[in-house]
Amino acid sequence: MNRNRIQSNEALTKIINMATEDESLIPDAVARIASSGSVTSEAIQLLLKAARSGDSSPATLSQSIAGLTQTDHTDALDAMRTALVSLDKAKGSGKEQAAGREAFLKAPQLE
């Protein structure tokens, strides 16, 4: 579905529920959420968890920032800052660092 650019809210909800139960699916769920354009309350919780996790890959951190910029959740700013600090510490992740920083700086909440 994603390859053919078909968006399904039902499929996204199912992916979020599966990632809530199985943490190994969080990176895939975060990538889908960030590209979906709509962030539900369940998705916000998953994005917050990914952004705050020291185990998240640089790509997941960058995508969690991108997803959190689409919300006005009270904890989003703090989680994005945490993710940016983790990205800054990651070695060899210049592309992800740039993407995360750009998403953060273009966040509508910062205007």
Side-chain angles (χ1 to χ4, degrees):
M1 284 177 35
N2 203 28
R3 184 175 11 170
N4 295 320
R5 302 190 193 275
I6 298 171
Q7 296 290 334
S8 169
N9 290 337
E10 186 176 313
L12 183 59
T13 300
K14 193 170 202 171
I15 290 168
I16 292 168
N17 291 337
M18 289 170 46
T20 302
E21 296 173 11
D22 182 359
E23 291 190 3
S24 69
L25 299 175
I26 290 177
D28 293 325
V30 168
R32 296 279 182 124
I33 294 164
S35 66
S36 73
S38 64
V39 182
T40 64
S41 59
E42 294 84 11
I44 291 171
Q45 295 307 313
L46 202 59
L47 292 170
L48 291 170
K49 184 175 186 174
R52 292 175 176 151
S53 174
D55 296 331
S56 291
S57 70
T60 301
L61 290 169
S62 177
Q63 291 164 339
S64 67
I65 293 168
L68 286 168
T69 62
Q70 301 172 35
T71 74
D72 59 357
H73 192 276
T74 56
D75 295 331
L77 181 60
D78 186 49
M80 287 189 285
R81 287 192 315 228
T82 300
L84 285 168
V85 169
S86 296
L87 271 174
D88 191 45
K89 292 178 184 176
K91 302 279 188 222
S93 60
K95 180 179 167 184
E96 290 85 2
Q97 289 172 339
R101 191 170 29 256
E102 184 176 337
F104 178 78
L105 293 175
K106 290 184 176 183
Q109 298 88 331
L110 296 178
E111 294 179 356

